[in-house]
C-alpha cells in the first residue's frame, strides 16, 4: 500500500515508518522537524519537509504521493503546552482538522489518528477502558481530546474511515532527549552527565509504560484490520508503575554498568501532573489480537543501551 506518516520523523513516527517499510509498503513522510530529526527517516521513505497545519502544503504532498492511508502522529508535546498553550492547542487542532477535511473531500481513503492517554486525565478508576471519562488536565491533553472528537465527528457525520489509536506512555530509542524530553530520556541523560535524577512530587504517581516497538505492532494490526471506522483502541501494557520506581530502576541499571549514580533530587509537583494511569487493553486484545510483548526491565535495558551508544558515536 501507499502510506503517508504525518510526523514520521519523530520518536514513534520514525519507528512506524521502519515497520511499514519492513512490511513492504511504499512510505512517505511529512514532518516540519520541530522535534523530529531528518536522520530518523530512512532513505527508502520520501520526505516532505512541511508543516501539516498548512492546508495547501499538506494537500500538495497528498496529491503528489497518492496515499491510500495516512497515520497522523504530528503534534506539539505536552511540556510545550505549559509554556505556549495558545500555540500548542491551535496547531495540534489545525493539523487534525486539515487531515479530516482532506479525507472528507476524497484525497485519500483512511486515517489512523494517534491520540494520547493524557486525554483521560487522572484515573477515576482502574483500569481505564476506552469509555473512561475524557477529562484532560493540560492544554496539550485538551488539544488531543479535541482531535479525537473531531475525528469521531467526521466519521459519524461524513462516514469517513477514521480510527483512533490511544497509546499510553511510550519509551524506547529515538525518544526526544532535548527540549521537552520525557522522564525516561531525561533521567538517563542526567545520570550520564553526572547529575542527580529528579522526582517531581512524591514519586507515587503512576504511568502505564509501553515499549515503542509494541505500539508499532498495534498500529500495523490496526492497518491490516478492516471495518474499524469510528473505533478507539487503548494500546498499553495494562500495568502501572510509579515514577519513583522507574527512576530508581534506571539508576540501578546504570550503576550496574559502572556509572557513578548520584542521589535523587525532589522537586515540587508540576502543574497538571496526573496521579495515576493504568489501561484496560481488553478491546485491543479482542479486536486486534494485540498484547504487549516487551517487559519494562528488558525495554529499559534496550533504551539505556541505545542512549549510551548514541553518546559514543
Amino acid at each position: 500500500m501507499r502510506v503517508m506518516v504525518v510526523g514520521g520523523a519523530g520518536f514513534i513516527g520514525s519507528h512506524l515508518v521502519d515497520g511499514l517499510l519492513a512490511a513492504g509498503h511504499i512510505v512517505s513522510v511529512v514532518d516540519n522537524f520541530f522535534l523530529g530529526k531528518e536522520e530518523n527517516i530512512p532513505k527508502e521513505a520520501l520526505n516532505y519537509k512541511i508543516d501539516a497545519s498548512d492546508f495547501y502544503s499538506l494537500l500538495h504532498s497528498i496529491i503528489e504521493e497518492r496515499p491510500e492511508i495516512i497515520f497522523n502522529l504530528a503534534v506539539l508535546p505536552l511540556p510545550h503546552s505549559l509554556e505556549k498553550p495558545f500555540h500548542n492547542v491551535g496547531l495540534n487542532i489545525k493539523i487534525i482538522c486539515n487531515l479530516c477535511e482532506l479525507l472528507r473531500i476524497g484525497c485519500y481513503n483512511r486515517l489512523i489518528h494517534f491520540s494520547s492517554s493524557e486525554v483521560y486525565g487522572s484515573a477515576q478508576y482502574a483500569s481505564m477502558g476506552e469509555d473512561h471519562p475524557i477529562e484532560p488536565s493540560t492544554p496539550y491533553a485538551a488539544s488531543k481530546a479535541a482531535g479525537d472528537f473531531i475525528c469521531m465527528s467526521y466519521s459519524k457525520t461524513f462516514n469517513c474511515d477514521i480510527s483512533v489509536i490511544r497509546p499510553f506512555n511510550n519509551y524506547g530509542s529515538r525518544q526526544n532527549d532535548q527540549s521537552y524530553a520525557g522522564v525516561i530520556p531525561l533521567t538517563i541523560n542526567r545520570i550520564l552527565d553526572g547529575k542527580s535524577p529528579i522526582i517531581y512530587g512524591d514519586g507515587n504517581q503512576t504511568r502505564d509504560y509501553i515499549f515503542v516497538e509494541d505500539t508499532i505492532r498495534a498500529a500495523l494490526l490496526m492497518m491490516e484490520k478492516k471495518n474499524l471506522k469510528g473505533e478507539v483502541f487503548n494500546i498499553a501494557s495494562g500495568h502501572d508503575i510509579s515514577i519513583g520506581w522507574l527512576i530508581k530502576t534506571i539508576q540501578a541499571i546504570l550503576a550496574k554498568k559502572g556509572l557513578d549514580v548520584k542521589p535523587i533530587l525532589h522537586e515540587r509537583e508540576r502543574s497538571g501532573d496526573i496521579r495515576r494511569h493504568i489501561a484496560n487493553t481488553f478491546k485491543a486484545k479482542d479486536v486486534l489480537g494485540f498484547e504487549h510483548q516487551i517487559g519494562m526491565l528488558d525495554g529499559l535495558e534496550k533504551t539505556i543501551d541505545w542512549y549510551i551508544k548514541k553518546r559514543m558515536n
Side-chain angles (χ1 to χ4, degrees), residues 80-232:
H80 178 270
S81 79
L82 304 180
E83 295 179 4
K84 299 179 180 179
F86 181 80
H87 182 204
N88 186 281
V89 171
L91 189 135
N92 288 344
I93 292 175
K94 185 70 181 298
I95 290 170
I96 193 58
C97 286
N98 286 348
L99 286 165
C100 286
E101 184 62 11
L102 289 167
L103 178 59
R104 183 188 72 83
I105 64 177
C107 295
Y108 64 106
N109 300 330
R110 185 181 177 196
L111 172 63
I112 297 179
H113 171 61
F114 270 68
S115 178
S116 167
S117 60
E118 290 287 330
V119 303
Y120 295 127
S122 292
Q124 297 184 16
Y125 50 81
S127 54
M128 306 160 72
E130 289 82 359
D131 59 351
H132 185 280
I134 302 295
E135 293 192 4
S137 58
T138 62
Y140 162 83
S143 75
K144 296 301 290 183
D148 293 358
F149 287 129
I150 290 163
C151 285
M152 294 301 101
S153 73
Y154 268 76
S155 179
K156 291 176 182 177
T157 306
F158 306 112
N159 201 34
C160 293
D161 191 351
I162 305 175
S163 48
V164 173
I165 179 170
R166 191 172 281 155
F168 278 59
N169 292 76
N170 271 251
Y171 70 102
S173 62
R174 301 183 205 154
Q175 187 171 6
N176 171 48
D177 61 349
Q178 301 299 317
S179 299
Y180 311 122
V183 64
I184 290 177
L186 190 63
T187 299
I188 294 169
N189 280 331
R190 285 188 66 87
I191 295 173
L192 292 177
D193 288 337
K195 300 176 181 178
S196 292
I198 298 173
I199 290 178
Y200 294 94
D202 59 15
N204 292 324
Q205 59 269 49
T206 72
R207 301 291 183 270
D208 189 333
Y209 280 95
I210 182 165
F211 195 61
V212 65
E213 292 174 14
D214 279 331
T215 297
I216 300 314
R217 282 194 308 104
L220 295 176
L221 287 169
M222 282 186 68
M223 178 180 170
E224 293 164 7
K225 198 84 172 176
K226 307 299 181 185
N227 303 316
L228 295 182
K229 188 183 298 181
E231 297 291 344
V232 179

Side-chain angles (χ1 to χ4, degrees), residues 62-83:
I62 292 172
I63 291 172
E64 287 284 314
E65 290 305 307
R66 298 177 290 109
E68 300 164 69
I69 182 169
I70 292 179
F71 286 91
N72 177 42
L73 299 94
V75 70
L76 292 176
L78 189 156
H80 178 270
S81 79
L82 304 180
E83 295 179 4

